[in-house]
Amino acid sequence: MQFSGTEKYIAPPELSVAVNAAVTLQRPLLVKGEPGTGKTELARQVAAGLGLPIIEWHVKSTTKAQQGLYEYDAVSRLRDSQLGDPRVHDVANYIRKGKLWQAFEADHKVVLLIDEIDKADIEFPNDLLQELDRMEFHVYETGETVAARHRPVVIITSNNEKELPDAFLRRCFFHYIRFPEADTLRAIVNVHFPDIKPRLLDEALTQFFELRDAPGLKKKPSTSELLDWLKLILAEDLTPEDLRRDAGEILPRLHGALLKNEQDVALFEKLAFMARRQR
């Protein structure tokens, strides 16, 4: 099983190496990178490239590790016992299977995505150590042990909002997705917009990198934001000349797709003001 990208996903060589190394080592692949660099989409494209189904577990700030294994619905069981429902005699009727359980009991190998693990409590990764390492867990209510029929390909994403525990990191193969170089970014754009005119793309990328490289930005625009911006440019049928800015004009057309907070907009407005004063 070798991953080298798909028709819809341009994977740099080092990223393909990381995916294949994690598969060979049977270790979770921990993928970090700034938001919008395609970490979540990577898992979906790995599944597509390897011909495997995918199970997605999107982590929130309130998510507990136990939810990935199973949840016992004691409230429903109590209610049913009061109503005389015969289902109460089998506790298994009140066990809700989590994403890990679904991946472990699948008839075929699957890709398991644990998305944005750093959103959860700091204990969340530690609580999954044994389950991801041994690929099994115990269900106390029924007394059964659930073991993986086929070891899933586990891909874990993080936006680096929290530091992950060392014990967890030791069990993962790590890869940081760097922001794409211009040539790679051009290839990514051509996958999504194959009919875009080269001159328009040249002008858009020039302005995008100028914006991204501006010092003091709170949030640099990402690949996904570039794609949104280009979609708007194409929808408006803008030309390279339309995109070009006048002297002293700093913000690009439709900049709301690229800049996502008022501090960054204010920064460029200040730069524009200073440029006009110097003329």
Side-chain angles (χ1 to χ4, degrees):
M1 301 175 70
Q2 292 289 309
F3 176 74
S4 58
T6 67
E7 291 182 358
K8 297 181 179 180
Y9 192 90
I10 304 297
E14 63 272 14
L15 179 56
S16 298
V17 168
V19 171
N20 294 321
V23 171
T24 300
L25 293 173
Q26 296 187 330
R27 295 274 189 180
L29 173 62
L30 174 61
V31 183
K32 290 187 178 183
E34 61 185 85
T37 49
K39 300 184 297 297
T40 302
E41 187 61 24
L42 169 66
R44 295 168 182 157
Q45 295 303 322
V46 167
L50 300 180
L52 302 175
I54 185 170
I55 294 175
E56 300 186 15
W57 184 15
H58 300 283
V59 176
K60 301 178 181 179
S61 59
T62 56
T63 303
K64 303 298 181 184
Q66 181 64 32
Q67 294 171 302
L69 307 179
Y70 68 93
E71 292 182 276
Y72 170 50
D73 191 354
V75 174
S76 293
R77 193 181 187 197
L78 176 60
R79 184 188 64 242
D80 288 349
S81 68
Q82 294 170 339
L83 297 173
D85 193 321
R87 295 174 72 249
V88 300
H89 299 298
D90 185 358
V91 69
N93 291 323
Y94 302 92
I95 299 293
R96 296 176 181 172
K97 298 177 181 179
K99 299 296 186 180
L100 266 73
W101 191 329
Q102 295 172 31
F104 286 4
E105 73 171 3
D107 293 330
H108 306 283
K109 182 184 283 289
V110 302
V111 172
L112 172 63
L113 167 64
I114 305 177
D115 197 31
E116 298 189 328
I117 194 172
D118 52 325
K119 278 188 176 180
D121 185 85
I122 190 61
E123 291 304 319
F124 181 94
N126 281 332
D127 291 342
L128 290 177
L129 285 180
Q130 293 298 323
E131 289 76 12
L132 291 176
D133 201 23
R134 300 174 60 184
M135 283 288 148
E136 65 178 31
F137 62 89
H138 187 69
V139 183
Y140 295 99
E141 289 77 6
T142 63
E144 66 179 309
T145 296
V146 178
R149 296 179 185 175
H150 307 276
R151 193 177 188 100
V153 176
V154 181
I155 297 179
I156 303 170
T157 72
S158 169
N159 287 327
N160 246 354
E161 292 181 7
K162 292 191 188 84
E163 286 295 326
L164 299 175
D166 288 344
F168 181 80
L169 295 175
R170 283 199 302 271
R171 289 166 167 82
C172 298
F173 190 93
F174 173 77
H175 182 75
Y176 184 87
I177 297 184
R178 292 179 175 83
F179 193 80
E181 300 288 339
D183 289 344
T184 303
L185 201 56
R186 187 182 299 275
I188 292 171
V189 170
N190 283 323
V191 166
H192 292 269
F193 306 110
D195 297 326
I196 191 169
K197 294 178 180 178
R199 286 182 58 245
L200 179 62
L201 180 55
D202 288 343
E203 182 63 32
L205 287 180
T206 297
Q207 293 197 25
F208 175 77
F209 277 110
E210 287 176 355
L211 193 72
R212 184 176 164 81
D213 293 339
L217 272 186
K218 183 177 180 181
K219 184 192 179 305
K220 294 183 178 184
S222 66
T223 308
S224 64
E225 285 149 351
L226 170 65
L227 295 175
D228 286 345
W229 185 49
L230 288 172
K231 186 175 182 179
L232 289 173
I233 288 172
L234 293 173
E236 295 286 335
D237 198 23
L238 300 180
T239 66
E241 290 71 28
D242 293 328
L243 290 185
R244 293 197 183 105
R245 292 164 289 182
D246 296 330
E249 187 179 358
I250 300 295
L251 287 168
R253 295 280 293 270
L254 304 167
H255 63 269
L258 299 172
L259 299 176
K260 298 302 178 72
N261 61 70
E262 62 276 14
Q263 294 98 319
D264 288 343
V265 173
L267 170 66
F268 278 92
E269 289 174 343
K270 182 178 179 181
L271 292 173
F273 176 75
M274 294 173 62
R276 285 193 294 270
R277 288 190 62 183
Q278 292 173 0
R279 283 189 297 169

